[in-house]
Amino acid sequence: AHLVDTDAISRALTAPGGAALPAIAAAFGPHVVNADEGLVRSAMRELVFADPAARQRLEAILHPMISAETARAAAAAASDLIVFDVPLLVESGRWRQRVDRVLVVDCAETLQIERVMQRSGLSREAVQAVLNAQANRSQRRACADAVIHNQDLGLSELRAQVLTLAARWRRTK
């Protein structure tokens, strides 16, 4: 499968020299952009999770750019199976019609919070604020054609479940 990771695309757009930085600086001010770091994520996170209108302005800048880049990446894919990793699939409201099927990898919110804290170094409160602004577990599962429960799976077990599902989906394409 060819992976198109929308989160990685977003990070590239907001990295030093990223295409989204001029529009973000114009919309929010120079304090959220740093020449060495790109987007100052802590400042932007604080702003967008305190002000829904600010989050909408940021999404209005980033989402069209992310959409264009995902289309380019999908067109260049050398595989008949393209996996779009889309953290905000439910929230965006437009991904469901762009894909054939949706897989949700799910776990308990407490484990999700712990994993994000370990990966990002954010505080529990910061992670909870992010989760509160996103679709909840039941909304994500309701949008899914399949759910893999990743509560206690090791990577090899998770991989086996994904490969089994991919084989089944390829047969019913």
Side-chain angles (χ1 to χ4, degrees):
H2 180 82
L3 176 64
V4 178
D5 183 341
T6 60
D7 210 26
I9 292 168
S10 176
R11 284 190 303 275
L13 290 169
T14 58
L21 292 180
I24 292 171
F28 296 98
H31 70 284
V32 299
V33 175
N34 178 303
D36 295 331
E37 300 172 39
L39 181 68
V40 181
R41 296 187 186 286
S42 58
M44 185 56 74
R45 187 180 312 108
E46 187 176 311
L47 181 61
V48 299
F49 290 114
D51 180 3
R55 188 173 81 240
Q56 290 174 342
R57 282 196 328 267
L58 179 63
E59 289 172 351
I61 294 167
L62 287 174
H63 287 186
M65 296 173 122
I66 293 168
S67 183
E69 184 54 36
T70 59
R72 275 191 291 278
S79 175
D80 66 329
L81 180 60
I82 301 171
V83 175
F84 293 95
D85 184 347
V86 184
L88 299 178
L89 183 136
V90 174
E91 296 85 346
S92 75
R94 63 183 179 275
W95 273 97
R96 183 63 203 172
Q97 67 267 15
R98 292 180 68 185
V99 298
D100 295 327
R101 294 183 182 93
V102 172
L103 166 64
V104 169
V105 179
D106 187 44
C107 66
E109 188 173 294
T110 53
L111 181 57
Q112 183 181 14
I113 290 169
E114 291 299 322
R115 287 176 175 170
V116 173
M117 287 171 56
Q118 284 180 335
R119 183 184 70 230
S120 67
L122 294 174
S123 70
R124 182 173 303 280
E125 295 75 24
V127 174
Q128 190 65 59
V130 171
L131 293 179
N132 290 344
Q134 296 178 349
N136 63 40
R137 287 178 67 205
S138 62
Q139 290 168 319
R140 284 191 303 272
R141 288 190 308 252
C143 147
D145 296 299
V147 177
I148 292 178
H149 299 280
N150 187 19
Q151 187 71 28
D152 299 314
L153 297 179
L155 285 179
S156 62
E157 296 164 306
L158 179 60
R159 177 179 167 75
Q161 285 195 30
V162 169
L163 291 174
T164 298
L165 181 62
R168 187 173 79 224
W169 282 358
R170 273 193 162 134
R171 285 191 305 274
T172 61
K173 192 172 179 182

